Amino acid sequence: MPQVPNFSSASVKRSAVSAEASSGPWWRFPIVWMVVGGPLAVVVASLFTAFLAVKNVDPVLDISKIDPKTGHAPAMVGRNHSAEVATRPADQ
């Protein structure tokens, strides 16, 4: 006949106390650093990205001062111009 484990409250308390005493502080377990380290790395990376975005702001271009005759045309004008050239027949 197989033995049935004794789950009396005294033996459960004794095993819980012995496991708690031998476990040590929470920062000694690698799984804690894996759980905390991932989100912490994301927060640090996002703060660094925000710092770079604020420090290196791109200037706003004033397109009203750009002359299309000089070749400094906005993207839409340049795109439309290249499309016009491409639709001409080859024999002209």
Side-chain angles (χ1 to χ4, degrees), residues 41-60:
V42 170
V43 169
V44 170
S46 66
L47 291 174
F48 180 70
T49 304
F51 167 75
L52 288 178
V54 170
K55 185 177 179 197
N56 301 322
V57 178
D58 292 336
V60 178

Side-chain angles (χ1 to χ4, degrees), residues 2 21 23 28 33 45 49 53 67 70 74 76 82 88 90:
S23 65
R28 300 270 176 146
W33 294 111
T49 304
D67 184 19
T70 63
M76 292 293 284
S82 66
R88 290 187 200 159

Side-chain angles (χ1 to χ4, degrees), residues 6-15:
N6 182 8
F7 289 118
S8 67
S9 63
S11 66
V12 171
K13 286 180 185 176
R14 190 173 27 248
S15 65

Side-chain angles (χ1 to χ4, degrees), residues 21-89:
S22 66
S23 65
W26 63 269
W27 63 84
R28 300 270 176 146
F29 295 98
I31 190 71
V32 172
W33 294 111
M34 287 175 45
V35 169
V36 174
L40 184 64
V42 170
V43 169
V44 170
S46 66
L47 291 174
F48 180 70
T49 304
F51 167 75
L52 288 178
V54 170
K55 185 177 179 197
N56 301 322
V57 178
D58 292 336
V60 178
L61 298 177
D62 185 14
I63 61 171
S64 65
K65 296 181 180 179
I66 296 176
D67 184 19
K69 295 177 183 176
T70 63
H72 300 289
M76 292 293 284
V77 175
R79 186 199 68 184
N80 291 340
H81 178 68
S82 66
E84 289 172 5
V85 174
T87 57
R88 290 187 200 159

